Amino acid sequence: MHIDHQKNEIVFKIVYYGPGLSGKTTNLEYVHSQLDPGLCGDLISLKTSEGRTLFFDFLHLELGRIQGKKPRFHLYTTAGQARYAASRQVVLQGTDSLVFVVDSQRGRLADNFASLKELQNRLTQNGVAITQLPWLIQYNKRDLPMAEDVAVLERKLNIWEVPYIEAIAVTGRGVFLTLRKAIELIIKK
Amino acid sequence: MSGQPNGNSVILSEKSYQEINTYLGDLLQKSRASLCVFADMNGYPVSYKTTRTALNVDTLTALAVNDFSATAEIAKILGETQRFRYLYHEGIKQNLYLCNIGNHYLLIVIFGPHVNLGMIRMLSQHVAGKLDALLNRIRDEKDKVAKYMDVEFRTLLGQELDKAFGLKN
């Protein structure tokens, strides 16, 4: 987090992490499409020629002044594909809160698990223990027929018992609740 | 090394800001650059001075910092023990110069083709040295976070978020 005493602003960094095609960019696209343009900037996406995230997506949100102070939020997604591991390390630096986006489909369980393990390792490399970081899990794609039961996903993935939210990011279900929770976890801390 | 490790907050006092602003103002004036940003490696613009209007400094900083951090990974692959000291991008109308400050901060300078790169490099390194010294001096002003985000602020922030996100009436 960054506090600017001169402008009386406080800035938080929130990162969406997860395996490729789990819906991280879709979360940000939905937030960007729904919010008053006065509250958010352009959605910056660094994409490959196939439209997959190459480095990160970035969205800047701000609220009006509270007690004279202006809260602002920098939202990032990481590139999900395995070959962009180094770029994920870079984006994770200095994150205040994290959303791990799970693809709920049964066939993606191993990918989710591998991504979670990688997250843990990358945080460690950045000097942060996963238990110290405010974070939550978003079980996305709950509408798909092959979606695994949340109870099963919880048992297999959420060994830290962090909060979770069910979502269908393409329709917006759970998207703002997730973001709200990610911010709440920072301010609680 | 100045600053704090990854994942920690950057909290500076008003006096420190004034000092940073003085350095940035001097750099802007002497170099004839159009923008000077002092940013942290987490992607936040700590402070900036500019002659340009309607510039999204937040986005520009986020992109520049990640650009610089990506090259730090390249440096590692090449066997460098430190990050690259500076990066330069040359355009037709604008050029971008990025200067590492103690591995945790970055100086971003944008300037036109009429300005000599050598001049930018010399002045930037001079200012980077001063900023590094300042960061080493102040170190930790972290205790101010709790005071800044008191209970009332946290409650009101929650209410504002619910309103903005359409979660409650």
Side-chain angles (χ1 to χ4, degrees), chain A residues 169-182:
Chain A
V170 281
T171 65
R173 188 186 137 197
V175 169
F176 279 113
L177 271 178
T178 302
L179 178 56
R180 172 72 171 79
K181 190 73 185 171

Side-chain angles (χ1 to χ4, degrees), chain A residues 44-73:
Chain A
I44 307 292
S45 288
L46 307 183
K47 289 186 186 301
T48 64
S49 53
E50 296 95 35
R52 303 284 300 276
T53 304
L54 171 64
F55 198 165
F56 60 86
D57 305 301
F58 174 76
L59 184 63
H60 163 227
L61 307 181
E62 61 182 44
L63 296 177
R65 292 206 176 264
I66 299 169
Q67 294 179 321
K69 302 161 189 166
K70 180 177 266 195
R72 298 196 289 135
F73 306 92

